[in-house]
Every structure is written in C-alpha cells, then in structure tokens.
Amino acid sequence: MLTSIAFILITIVSVLLFYLVTNRSRLVLIFFTAWSGVVSLLSYLGFYLKLDVFPPRIILILIPVTLYVIYFYRKIQISPAKIPYLLAIHGLRLPVELVLYSLFILGQVPVVMTFTGWNYDILMGITALLLLLYALVTKKQFARQFFLLWNVVGILLLTTIVVIAILSIPLPFQQFGLQQPNLAVLRFPYALLPAVVVPIVLLSHLYSLKMLKQL
C-alpha cells in the first residue's frame, strides 16, 4: 500500500513539474489528467493483465505514448530558465528506482529491472539532484558539452530499462524475468510508469537536447 501511494505521488509530482516546464500549458495539464485517468481505470479493472490476446494490450499504452511524445516535442519550446524544473523531473528517477526495488521484493518485477540488476537509471536520479543543487546555489549554466553528454547518457539508460521492462512481461517475446516476470506495469497504479512518468522523463531529455541545439 505504501509503495502504491509513493508511486502515485511521484506520478502527480512529475505531471506538475512538466506542467511548469511547459509554461503552465493547459493542454498539457488536461491531457495528462485525462490520459492518467484512462490508464488508471483500465489498469485497475485488470484490462492490461489479459495476456492471451493479440496484439498485447500493453500496445494500447505504447502507441499513444509514442504519438504524444512526438507531438509535445514538436509543439513546445523550452527556455534555459526551465533547466531546474527539468532536473527536478529527472531527480524523481531516484524514488522510482526505490519503488521498483520494493516491487521486486514483493515479487512484481524481476531483479534485472532494479539497481541490483541491470538498471542503472538510479545514477541519473542521483546526479540530477546534485546538478539541481549546483544550479540553484551557483546560478550558473552548465557547460554545453557536459550537459549534452549527461542527457545522452540519460536517454541510453532510460532506453535500456524500458527495453528490459518490455522483455520482462510474460508475453511470447519475453526474455527476462522468466521466474518472476514484470507484472507491475500491467496493474494500477504502476501502469502509469510507462504511460506517464517515463514519457515525461524522455521529453525532459529531448527538450534539453533541442534547447542545446538552438544555443
């Protein structure tokens, strides 16, 4: 129960921070509120847990996520003044990793999806908080090459855990977690991880790269 509450709070904070990043865009707030509501309802009803259908119902999360990431990336421009908010979003990766570890202990995800396995995304959460502290204290901008490299590494680590998570779901193409598969992301509230939290983290990286490209 505490793990679920913690994750719901992480999701809410990620949406609110993204709302601030996008200059309080009403479209962003309305969209993520509605989308989160739909995914929450379907996952609560066990919709995504029906695994003997084709195509897998997780596709109904992955395809909309791909489309809205592309849309918001193209539509929204971010200024350097929003970097602290972007770093705060990445800082949420630390508590997300702690939630994933708790889910492993509860038998809901395989060890490969945790920081004791092949998931090193916790490093991005820790470094993001350190960079946020540095930015707030010094009021200085990061060196362009450093910030570029940090974001590229962050995307690679995020991509790695997303692929592992998908290949850990008990579907015909499962490669990991054969003894303890990834069922958490098919259930409420953890379906919001691939539906909301991960896309917001990815967009935060993409906005940073786009901003650096324009400087």
Side-chain angles (χ1 to χ4, degrees), residues 97 100 112-114 118-121 156-166:
E97 295 308 315
L100 284 176
V112 71
M113 284 180 59
T114 74
W118 293 359
N119 182 3
Y120 303 108
D121 203 53
L156 291 176
L157 291 177
L158 185 67
T159 302
T160 299
I161 181 54
V162 167
V163 171
I164 291 173
I166 292 174

Side-chain angles (χ1 to χ4, degrees), residues 90-181:
H90 293 301
L92 293 174
R93 293 157 87 160
L94 173 56
V96 165
E97 295 308 315
L98 297 179
V99 166
L100 284 176
Y101 186 75
S102 296
L103 291 173
F104 161 65
I105 298 299
L106 294 171
Q108 295 299 304
V109 302
V111 66
V112 71
M113 284 180 59
T114 74
F115 55 80
T116 60
W118 293 359
N119 182 3
Y120 303 108
D121 203 53
I122 192 171
L123 298 176
M124 296 307 297
I126 294 171
T127 55
L129 293 175
L130 293 175
L131 292 176
L132 175 59
L133 180 62
Y134 174 85
L136 293 176
V137 171
T138 66
K139 308 298 183 183
K140 295 180 180 179
Q141 292 187 357
F142 302 113
R144 187 178 187 278
Q145 291 302 319
F146 167 77
F147 200 49
L148 174 63
L149 178 61
W150 186 82
N151 278 283
V152 170
V153 171
I155 291 175
L156 291 176
L157 291 177
L158 185 67
T159 302
T160 299
I161 181 54
V162 167
V163 171
I164 291 173
I166 292 174
L167 294 180
S168 298
I169 298 173
L171 293 168
F173 51 76
Q174 183 182 5
Q175 298 296 315
F176 306 109
L178 298 177
Q179 301 301 317
Q180 183 171 306

